[in-house]
Amino acid sequence: MSKELIIDGIKVEPDPSKTVLEVAQELGIHIPTLCYYKGLTPYGACRICVVETIWKGKSKLQTACTFPAWEGEVRTNSEKVRKARKSILELMLAEAPEAKEIQKLAEEYGADREKYKVHRFGPNNKCIMCGLCVRICNDIIRIGAIGFKERGYKREITTPFEEYSDICSTCGACSYVCPTNAIDLKVISDRKITPVLSEFECGLTTRPAVYTPFPQAVPNIPIIDKDNCMHFLNNSCDICELVCEPEAIKYDQEDKISEEEVGAIVVATGYELYPILNLEEYGAGEIEDVIDGLAFERLLSSSGPTVGEIRRPSDGKIAKDIVFIQCAGSRDPEKHKPYCSRICCMYSTKQAMLFKHHVHKGQPYIFYIDIRSGGKGYEEFV
Ligand code: SF4
Ligand code: SF4
Ligand code: FES
Protein backbone atom coordinates (compact mmCIF):
# COMPACT_ATOMS: atom_id res chain seq x y z
CA MET A 1 0.00 0.00 0.00
CA SER A 2 1.41 3.39 -0.97
CA LYS A 3 2.05 5.88 1.79
CA GLU A 4 -0.39 8.71 2.13
CA LEU A 5 -1.13 11.66 4.34
CA ILE A 6 -4.76 12.54 4.94
CA ILE A 7 -5.48 16.03 6.23
CA ASP A 8 -9.13 16.63 7.11
CA GLY A 9 -10.09 13.91 4.64
CA ILE A 10 -7.89 15.24 1.79
CA LYS A 11 -5.28 12.76 0.57
CA VAL A 12 -1.83 14.08 -0.32
CA GLU A 13 1.68 12.70 -0.74
CA PRO A 14 3.58 12.71 2.57
CA ASP A 15 6.49 15.18 2.44
CA PRO A 16 8.55 15.27 5.66
CA SER A 17 10.57 18.20 4.27
CA LYS A 18 7.47 20.28 4.96
CA THR A 19 5.47 20.73 8.15
CA VAL A 20 1.82 19.80 8.58
CA LEU A 21 1.08 23.52 8.78
CA GLU A 22 2.73 24.21 5.41
CA VAL A 23 0.86 21.38 3.70
CA ALA A 24 -2.44 22.43 5.30
CA GLN A 25 -1.89 26.01 4.12
CA GLU A 26 -1.22 24.76 0.59
CA LEU A 27 -4.57 22.94 0.77
CA GLY A 28 -6.30 26.09 2.00
CA ILE A 29 -6.97 24.61 5.45
CA HIS A 30 -6.79 27.21 8.20
CA ILE A 31 -4.85 26.38 11.35
CA PRO A 32 -4.48 29.24 13.86
CA THR A 33 -0.90 30.31 14.60
CA LEU A 34 0.69 32.84 16.93
CA CYS A 35 4.40 32.11 17.25
CA TYR A 36 4.85 31.00 13.63
CA TYR A 37 6.30 33.42 11.09
CA LYS A 38 7.30 32.32 7.64
CA GLY A 39 11.02 32.78 7.18
CA LEU A 40 11.84 32.04 10.83
CA THR A 41 12.63 28.56 12.09
CA PRO A 42 9.46 27.23 13.83
CA TYR A 43 9.78 27.19 17.57
CA GLY A 44 6.56 25.55 18.80
CA ALA A 45 6.14 27.96 21.69
CA CYS A 46 2.49 28.93 21.74
CA ARG A 47 0.95 25.52 20.82
CA ILE A 48 -2.18 27.14 19.38
CA CYS A 49 -1.55 25.34 16.07
CA VAL A 50 -2.06 21.98 17.77
CA VAL A 51 -3.59 19.25 15.55
CA GLU A 52 -4.57 15.62 16.12
CA THR A 53 -2.36 13.06 14.38
CA ILE A 54 -3.45 9.45 14.03
CA TRP A 55 -0.83 6.87 13.19
CA LYS A 56 -1.17 3.11 13.63
CA GLY A 57 -4.43 3.73 15.48
CA LYS A 58 -2.80 6.03 18.05
CA SER A 59 -4.04 9.59 18.43
CA LYS A 60 -1.65 12.33 19.53
CA LEU A 61 -1.63 16.11 19.71
CA GLN A 62 1.21 17.76 17.81
CA THR A 63 2.07 21.33 16.92
CA ALA A 64 1.42 21.70 13.19
CA CYS A 65 4.15 24.32 12.71
CA THR A 66 6.88 21.88 13.81
CA PHE A 67 5.46 18.43 12.99
CA PRO A 68 6.67 16.97 9.65
CA ALA A 69 4.08 16.03 7.05
CA TRP A 70 4.62 12.30 7.49
CA GLU A 71 2.18 9.58 6.47
CA GLY A 72 -0.92 9.10 8.59
CA GLU A 73 -4.00 11.11 9.32
CA VAL A 74 -4.24 14.68 10.59
CA ARG A 75 -7.37 16.31 11.98
CA THR A 76 -7.04 20.05 12.29
CA ASN A 77 -10.34 20.85 13.95
CA SER A 78 -11.51 17.74 15.80
CA GLU A 79 -13.16 17.89 19.21
CA LYS A 80 -9.88 16.90 20.83
CA VAL A 81 -8.09 19.73 18.99
CA ARG A 82 -10.70 22.35 19.90
CA LYS A 83 -10.58 21.26 23.54
CA ALA A 84 -6.79 21.55 23.59
CA ARG A 85 -6.86 25.00 21.96
CA LYS A 86 -9.49 26.10 24.47
CA SER A 87 -7.23 25.09 27.40
CA ILE A 88 -4.19 26.77 25.79
CA LEU A 89 -6.18 29.97 25.37
CA GLU A 90 -7.40 29.89 28.98
CA LEU A 91 -3.77 29.79 30.10
CA MET A 92 -2.88 32.59 27.69
CA LEU A 93 -5.72 34.72 29.02
CA ALA A 94 -4.17 34.50 32.48
CA GLU A 95 -0.86 35.58 31.04
CA ALA A 96 -1.95 38.18 28.50
CA PRO A 97 -5.49 39.26 29.39
CA GLU A 98 -5.25 42.49 27.41
CA ALA A 99 -4.18 40.88 24.14
CA LYS A 100 -6.98 41.46 21.63
CA GLU A 101 -5.86 38.61 19.36
CA ILE A 102 -6.05 36.17 22.29
CA GLN A 103 -9.45 37.51 23.32
CA LYS A 104 -10.70 36.97 19.77
CA LEU A 105 -9.42 33.40 19.62
CA ALA A 106 -10.74 32.73 23.14
CA GLU A 107 -14.19 33.71 22.00
CA GLU A 108 -13.93 31.48 18.94
CA TYR A 109 -12.97 28.45 21.05
CA GLY A 110 -15.26 29.24 23.99
CA ALA A 111 -12.35 29.68 26.42
CA ASP A 112 -13.27 30.69 29.96
CA ARG A 113 -11.69 34.03 30.92
CA GLU A 114 -12.04 33.29 34.62
CA LYS A 115 -10.58 29.78 34.59
CA TYR A 116 -7.14 30.85 35.82
CA LYS A 117 -6.17 33.80 37.94
CA VAL A 118 -4.45 36.56 35.97
CA HIS A 119 -0.82 36.28 36.97
CA ARG A 120 0.76 38.98 34.89
CA PHE A 121 -0.04 42.62 35.39
CA GLY A 122 1.46 45.83 34.11
CA PRO A 123 2.71 46.82 30.67
CA ASN A 124 3.55 43.26 29.65
CA ASN A 125 0.08 41.83 30.01
CA LYS A 126 -0.32 41.50 26.26
CA CYS A 127 2.77 39.31 25.83
CA ILE A 128 2.29 35.56 25.45
CA MET A 129 6.05 34.87 25.59
CA CYS A 130 6.05 33.39 22.11
CA GLY A 131 9.59 34.64 21.48
CA LEU A 132 8.88 35.79 17.93
CA CYS A 133 10.29 39.27 18.62
CA VAL A 134 13.50 37.84 20.07
CA ARG A 135 13.95 35.47 17.15
CA ILE A 136 13.39 38.07 14.44
CA CYS A 137 15.76 40.53 16.11
CA ASN A 138 18.37 37.82 16.49
CA ASP A 139 17.99 35.64 13.40
CA ILE A 140 16.81 38.07 10.73
CA ILE A 141 17.83 41.56 11.81
CA ARG A 142 20.97 40.00 13.32
CA ILE A 143 21.14 42.52 16.14
CA GLY A 144 19.88 40.63 19.21
CA ALA A 145 18.80 43.71 21.15
CA ILE A 146 16.13 41.95 23.23
CA GLY A 147 15.78 38.66 25.07
CA PHE A 148 13.92 36.82 27.81
CA LYS A 149 14.44 37.58 31.47
CA GLU A 150 13.53 35.40 34.48
CA ARG A 151 11.38 32.26 34.43
CA GLY A 152 7.78 31.21 34.95
CA TYR A 153 5.26 33.96 35.55
CA LYS A 154 8.09 36.48 36.02
CA ARG A 155 9.39 35.83 32.53
CA GLU A 156 9.43 38.87 30.29
CA ILE A 157 10.95 40.35 27.17
CA THR A 158 13.50 43.02 27.85
CA THR A 159 16.86 44.51 26.93
CA PRO A 160 20.12 43.58 28.72
CA PHE A 161 20.11 45.09 32.23
CA GLU A 162 16.68 46.51 31.37
CA GLU A 163 18.37 49.62 30.04
CA TYR A 164 17.80 51.39 26.76
CA SER A 165 19.48 49.35 24.07
CA ASP A 166 22.30 51.09 22.27
CA ILE A 167 22.27 48.50 19.48
CA CYS A 168 18.55 48.49 18.69
CA SER A 169 18.12 50.15 15.30
CA THR A 170 14.40 50.85 15.96
CA CYS A 171 13.66 48.98 12.74
CA GLY A 172 10.32 47.90 14.23
CA ALA A 173 10.56 44.28 13.03
CA CYS A 174 9.87 42.95 16.54
CA SER A 175 6.77 45.07 16.84
CA TYR A 176 5.64 44.12 13.33
CA VAL A 177 5.73 40.37 13.96
CA CYS A 178 4.38 40.42 17.51
CA PRO A 179 1.03 38.62 17.29
CA THR A 180 -0.43 40.50 20.24
CA ASN A 181 0.89 44.02 19.68
CA ALA A 182 2.82 43.82 22.94
CA ILE A 183 6.01 45.59 21.89
CA ASP A 184 6.59 49.18 22.92
CA LEU A 185 9.70 50.39 21.13
CA LYS A 186 9.95 53.37 23.46
CA VAL A 187 10.86 50.96 26.26
CA ILE A 188 13.58 49.31 24.17
CA SER A 189 15.34 52.35 22.74
CA ASP A 190 15.46 56.06 23.41
CA ARG A 191 16.35 56.75 19.79
CA LYS A 192 13.88 58.96 18.01
CA ILE A 193 11.62 56.78 15.91
CA THR A 194 11.01 58.40 12.55
CA PRO A 195 8.41 56.48 10.58
CA VAL A 196 8.54 56.70 6.80
CA LEU A 197 5.59 58.76 5.64
CA SER A 198 3.62 57.66 2.61
CA GLU A 199 4.24 60.05 -0.29
CA PHE A 200 1.05 58.96 -2.03
CA GLU A 201 -1.03 59.58 1.09
CA CYS A 202 0.61 63.01 1.43
CA GLY A 203 2.21 62.07 4.73
CA LEU A 204 -1.14 61.31 6.37
CA THR A 205 0.00 57.77 7.11
CA THR A 206 3.18 55.70 7.08
CA ARG A 207 4.44 53.12 4.62
CA PRO A 208 6.90 50.23 4.88
CA ALA A 209 10.29 50.12 3.14
CA VAL A 210 8.90 47.70 0.56
CA TYR A 211 5.71 49.02 -0.96
CA THR A 212 3.57 49.52 -4.04
CA PRO A 213 3.75 53.27 -4.72
CA PHE A 214 -0.02 53.65 -5.22
CA PRO A 215 -3.00 51.38 -5.93
CA GLN A 216 -3.10 51.96 -9.71
CA ALA A 217 0.68 51.97 -10.20
CA VAL A 218 1.90 50.61 -13.54
CA PRO A 219 3.47 48.11 -13.23
CA ASN A 220 1.52 47.24 -10.09
CA ILE A 221 4.40 45.66 -8.20
CA PRO A 222 6.20 46.56 -4.99
CA ILE A 223 9.48 48.44 -4.93
CA ILE A 224 12.15 48.60 -2.25
CA ASP A 225 13.03 51.97 -0.78
CA LYS A 226 16.79 51.53 -0.41
CA ASP A 227 17.13 54.60 1.81
CA ASN A 228 14.94 53.00 4.47
CA CYS A 229 15.36 49.24 3.98
CA MET A 230 17.43 47.58 6.71
CA HIS A 231 19.02 45.27 4.15
CA PHE A 232 20.56 48.21 2.31
CA LEU A 233 21.19 50.33 5.39
CA ASN A 234 23.23 47.80 7.35
CA ASN A 235 22.91 44.50 5.53
CA SER A 236 20.94 43.12 8.45
CA CYS A 237 17.59 41.87 7.18
CA ASP A 238 16.48 39.66 4.29
CA ILE A 239 13.02 38.62 5.41
CA CYS A 240 11.40 39.69 2.09
CA GLU A 241 13.64 37.32 0.20
CA LEU A 242 12.90 34.51 2.67
CA VAL A 243 9.13 34.79 2.56
CA CYS A 244 8.58 35.70 -1.10
CA GLU A 245 7.30 32.50 -2.70
CA PRO A 246 7.76 33.51 -6.36
CA GLU A 247 11.36 34.47 -5.44
CA ALA A 248 10.83 37.93 -6.89
CA ILE A 249 13.16 39.75 -4.49
CA LYS A 250 16.51 40.52 -6.09
CA TYR A 251 18.49 42.88 -3.91
CA ASP A 252 21.05 43.54 -6.63
CA GLN A 253 18.49 44.72 -9.19
CA GLU A 254 19.14 48.24 -10.47
CA ASP A 255 17.02 50.80 -12.31
CA LYS A 256 17.55 50.59 -16.04
CA ILE A 257 16.50 52.56 -19.09
CA SER A 258 14.93 50.52 -21.86
CA GLU A 259 14.15 51.81 -25.34
CA GLU A 260 10.77 50.99 -26.93
CA GLU A 261 9.33 51.51 -30.43
CA VAL A 262 5.93 53.25 -30.11
CA GLY A 263 3.28 54.49 -32.52
CA ALA A 264 2.21 57.62 -30.66
CA ILE A 265 3.18 59.73 -27.67
CA VAL A 266 0.83 61.37 -25.17
CA VAL A 267 2.42 64.36 -23.49
CA ALA A 268 0.95 64.89 -20.02
CA THR A 269 2.51 67.88 -18.31
CA GLY A 270 1.60 66.88 -14.76
CA TYR A 271 2.03 69.38 -11.96
CA GLU A 272 4.12 70.18 -8.97
CA LEU A 273 2.61 70.97 -5.60
CA TYR A 274 3.63 74.22 -4.00
CA PRO A 275 5.52 73.10 -0.86
CA ILE A 276 3.16 73.47 2.07
CA LEU A 277 6.11 74.10 4.38
CA ASN A 278 6.61 77.45 2.60
CA LEU A 279 3.26 78.55 3.99
CA GLU A 280 4.31 79.06 7.56
CA GLU A 281 1.97 82.04 7.92
CA TYR A 282 -0.87 79.47 8.14
CA GLY A 283 0.94 77.20 10.59
CA ALA A 284 1.90 74.61 7.95
CA GLY A 285 4.43 72.15 9.35
CA GLU A 286 3.57 73.18 12.90
CA ILE A 287 -0.15 72.59 13.12
CA GLU A 288 -1.01 69.04 12.06
CA ASP A 289 -4.47 69.97 10.85
CA VAL A 290 -3.13 72.42 8.25
CA ILE A 291 -2.97 70.32 5.09
CA ASP A 292 -2.95 70.99 1.37
CA GLY A 293 -5.62 70.25 -1.23
CA LEU A 294 -4.10 66.96 -2.32
CA ALA A 295 -3.97 65.65 1.26
CA PHE A 296 -7.64 66.59 1.61
CA GLU A 297 -8.31 64.65 -1.57
CA ARG A 298 -6.78 61.56 0.10
CA LEU A 299 -9.00 62.09 3.15
CA LEU A 300 -12.03 62.14 0.87
CA SER A 301 -10.98 58.96 -0.92
CA SER A 302 -12.52 55.67 0.16
CA SER A 303 -9.15 54.03 -0.55
CA GLY A 304 -7.34 56.72 1.47
CA PRO A 305 -5.84 56.53 4.96
CA THR A 306 -9.17 57.25 6.68
CA VAL A 307 -11.27 55.21 4.21
CA GLY A 308 -13.10 58.35 3.16
CA GLU A 309 -13.86 59.72 6.61
CA ILE A 310 -12.79 63.32 7.11
CA ARG A 311 -10.70 62.85 10.23
CA ARG A 312 -8.31 65.43 11.65
CA PRO A 313 -4.68 64.34 11.36
CA SER A 314 -4.01 65.64 14.89
CA ASP A 315 -6.45 63.50 16.87
CA GLY A 316 -8.38 61.38 14.38
CA LYS A 317 -11.67 63.09 15.23
CA ILE A 318 -14.19 63.91 12.50
CA ALA A 319 -13.58 67.49 11.32
CA LYS A 320 -16.67 69.62 11.82
CA ASP A 321 -15.65 73.05 10.57
CA ILE A 322 -13.06 73.41 7.88
CA VAL A 323 -11.60 76.40 6.10
CA PHE A 324 -10.23 76.47 2.57
CA ILE A 325 -7.77 79.31 2.07
CA GLN A 326 -7.60 80.38 -1.55
CA CYS A 327 -4.52 81.74 -3.32
CA ALA A 328 -2.23 80.18 -0.67
CA GLY A 329 1.20 80.48 -2.27
CA SER A 330 -0.05 82.25 -5.39
CA ARG A 331 -0.75 85.84 -6.45
CA ASP A 332 1.84 86.96 -3.93
CA PRO A 333 4.97 88.13 -5.81
CA GLU A 334 6.77 89.18 -2.66
CA LYS A 335 6.66 85.89 -0.80
CA HIS A 336 5.38 83.21 -3.14
CA LYS A 337 4.32 82.80 -6.78
CA PRO A 338 3.09 85.86 -8.64
CA TYR A 339 0.50 84.04 -10.74
CA CYS A 340 -2.90 82.40 -10.20
CA SER A 341 -3.01 78.59 -10.19
CA ARG A 342 -6.30 78.67 -12.17
CA ILE A 343 -7.63 75.56 -10.45
CA CYS A 344 -7.88 76.20 -6.69
CA CYS A 345 -11.23 78.02 -6.78
CA MET A 346 -12.88 75.18 -8.65
CA TYR A 347 -11.43 72.26 -6.75
CA SER A 348 -11.99 73.92 -3.36
CA THR A 349 -15.65 74.37 -4.28
CA LYS A 350 -15.83 70.74 -5.33
CA GLN A 351 -14.13 69.62 -2.12
CA ALA A 352 -16.36 71.81 0.05
CA MET A 353 -19.37 70.11 -1.55
CA LEU A 354 -17.88 66.66 -1.01
CA PHE A 355 -17.10 67.57 2.59
CA LYS A 356 -20.79 68.41 3.16
CA HIS A 357 -21.64 65.11 1.53
CA HIS A 358 -19.34 63.22 3.95
CA VAL A 359 -20.04 65.26 7.11
CA HIS A 360 -23.67 66.34 6.87
CA LYS A 361 -23.53 68.60 9.91
CA GLY A 362 -20.08 69.95 9.05
CA GLN A 363 -19.49 73.50 7.87
CA PRO A 364 -16.93 74.35 5.18
CA TYR A 365 -15.80 77.95 4.70
CA ILE A 366 -13.91 79.31 1.70
CA PHE A 367 -11.71 82.37 2.30
CA TYR A 368 -10.93 84.06 -1.00
CA ILE A 369 -9.69 87.29 -2.59
CA ASP A 370 -12.01 86.79 -5.54
CA ILE A 371 -13.39 83.68 -7.19
CA ARG A 372 -11.90 82.89 -10.58
CA SER A 373 -14.19 80.43 -12.26
CA GLY A 374 -13.19 80.77 -15.89
CA GLY A 375 -14.56 77.96 -18.05
CA LYS A 376 -17.78 76.62 -19.47
CA GLY A 377 -20.35 76.06 -16.72
CA TYR A 378 -17.85 76.93 -13.96
CA GLU A 379 -19.64 80.10 -12.89
CA GLU A 380 -22.88 78.14 -12.44
CA PHE A 381 -21.00 75.48 -10.45
CA VAL A 382 -19.60 77.90 -7.87
S1 SF4 B 1 13.38 47.44 16.74
FE1 SF4 B 1 15.25 46.96 17.90
S2 SF4 B 1 14.65 45.24 19.20
FE2 SF4 B 1 13.11 45.39 17.58
S3 SF4 B 1 13.85 44.01 15.94
FE3 SF4 B 1 14.61 46.05 15.44
S4 SF4 B 1 16.65 46.10 16.36
FE4 SF4 B 1 15.58 44.39 17.33
S1 SF4 C 1 6.39 40.72 22.79
FE1 SF4 C 1 5.07 39.79 21.23
S2 SF4 C 1 6.47 38.67 19.87
FE2 SF4 C 1 7.60 39.12 21.77
S3 SF4 C 1 7.32 37.31 23.03
FE3 SF4 C 1 5.72 38.75 23.60
S4 SF4 C 1 3.96 38.20 22.33
FE4 SF4 C 1 5.75 37.21 21.41
S1 FES D 1 2.17 28.54 15.89
FE1 FES D 1 2.79 26.52 16.19
S2 FES D 1 3.40 26.44 18.23
FE2 FES D 1 2.92 28.55 17.90
Side-chain angles (χ1 to χ4, degrees):
M1 199 176 76
S2 69
K3 291 179 180 175
E4 59 185 26
L5 167 66
I6 305 168
I7 303 187
D8 290 350
I10 304 173
K11 288 181 188 168
V12 286
E13 284 261 318
D15 182 354
S17 70
K18 292 180 182 167
T19 61
V20 166
L21 179 68
E22 285 168 326
V23 176
Q25 285 176 340
E26 282 167 15
L27 294 171
I29 296 169
H30 173 70
I31 297 175
T33 60
L34 288 167
C35 72
Y36 171 79
Y37 197 82
K38 201 172 170 214
L40 283 173
T41 314
Y43 186 56
C46 74
R47 299 193 60 79
I48 198 69
C49 65
V50 78
V51 291
E52 184 180 358
T53 60
I54 297 156
W55 196 63
K56 292 193 175 169
K58 280 195 182 155
S59 155
K60 276 190 176 179
L61 289 174
Q62 307 280 3
T63 47
C65 69
T66 55
F67 197 71
W70 277 321
E71 63 182 301
E73 190 187 343
V74 174
R75 294 176 188 165
T76 69
N77 204 19
S78 63
E79 209 187 319
K80 191 171 177 177
V81 167
R82 292 189 68 84
K83 220 170 135 194
R85 287 187 192 149
K86 179 173 174 273
S87 302
I88 290 163
L89 286 161
E90 281 163 349
L91 286 165
M92 281 183 189
L93 281 172
E95 194 159 15
E98 299 300 321
K100 294 263 180 306
E101 184 65 21
I102 305 303
Q103 291 169 4
K104 220 169 92 196
L105 281 167
E107 204 174 313
E108 187 183 335
Y109 287 93
D112 180 1
R113 272 173 164 258
E114 317 282 315
K115 179 102 181 241
Y116 301 104
K117 219 172 124 204
V118 173
H119 61 249
R120 197 186 296 279
F121 297 95
N124 267 343
N125 62 3
K126 284 203 279 186
C127 175
I128 54 165
M129 298 296 141
C130 71
L132 210 44
C133 53
V134 178
R135 284 185 290 140
I136 197 145
C137 187
N138 214 35
D139 303 354
I140 303 290
I141 307 298
R142 297 193 275 276
I143 284 185
I146 47 177
F148 287 106
K149 184 194 103 176
E150 302 270 11
R151 288 170 178 274
Y153 70 90
K154 285 188 176 167
R155 196 163 162 85
E156 59 178 290
I157 300 292
T158 184
T159 52
F161 309 109
E162 290 180 66
E163 287 173 0
Y164 282 135
S165 167
D166 51 8
I167 53 171
C168 167
S169 61
T170 61
C171 68
C174 51
S175 149
Y176 182 76
V177 296
C178 174
T180 57
N181 205 13
I183 291 278
D184 181 1
L185 280 186
K186 288 196 236 72
V187 179
I188 298 173
S189 169
D190 61 353
R191 283 172 58 159
K192 193 165 176 272
I193 300 161
T194 36
V196 185
L197 298 178
S198 161
E199 295 83 357
F200 180 65
E201 300 296 3
C202 303
L204 293 170
T205 186
T206 57
R207 64 153 172 84
V210 56
Y211 68 108
T212 305
F214 50 95
Q216 290 83 22
V218 180
N220 202 274
I221 49 173
I223 54 169
I224 296 178
D225 168 6
K226 289 185 178 178
D227 292 337
N228 288 296
C229 167
M230 295 303 287
H231 181 84
F232 290 96
L233 286 177
N234 53 19
N235 197 23
S236 65
C237 172
D238 41 21
I239 189 89
C240 306
E241 194 179 32
L242 288 172
V243 299
C244 178
E245 265 166 29
E247 297 179 5
I249 299 287
K250 304 270 180 283
Y251 291 120
D252 55 359
Q253 244 175 10
E254 294 286 340
D255 291 345
K256 60 177 184 201
I257 294 175
S258 57
E259 290 190 10
E260 305 286 342
E261 291 287 327
V262 294
I265 294 174
V266 177
V267 179
T269 52
Y271 63 90
E272 239 176 49
L273 278 185
Y274 189 70
I276 189 170
L277 292 180
N278 289 0
L279 299 166
E280 56 193 25
E281 58 268 42
Y282 303 116
E286 249 182 65
I287 304 168
E288 276 184 83
D289 295 334
V290 175
I291 59 174
D292 60 25
L294 198 59
F296 192 72
E297 195 69 43
R298 294 311 302 150
L299 288 181
L300 286 168
S301 170
S302 55
S303 66
T306 54
V307 287
E309 293 186 333
I310 313 301
R311 296 192 173 272
R312 299 197 301 206
S314 60
D315 56 10
K317 289 188 181 154
I318 298 284
K320 294 207 176 101
D321 299 317
I322 60 165
V323 170
F324 293 90
I325 299 179
Q326 303 309 97
C327 307
S330 62
R331 302 173 71 191
D332 185 351
E334 274 160 37
K335 282 193 77 180
H336 303 293
K337 301 285 182 197
Y339 48 83
C340 160
S341 81
R342 291 198 67 232
I343 57 164
C344 313
C345 289
M346 295 311 292
Y347 82 64
S348 298
T349 309
K350 183 265 299 184
Q351 288 187 327
M353 286 177 174
L354 285 176
F355 172 69
K356 275 300 274 182
H357 188 69
H358 283 65
V359 186
H360 300 313
K361 291 192 178 156
Q363 183 59 56
Y365 298 91
I366 298 185
F367 293 176
Y368 61 92
I369 306 172
D370 47 36
I371 290 287
R372 295 189 168 180
S373 50
K376 192 178 172 200
Y378 287 12
E379 193 61 32
E380 291 78 0
F381 182 74
V382 296

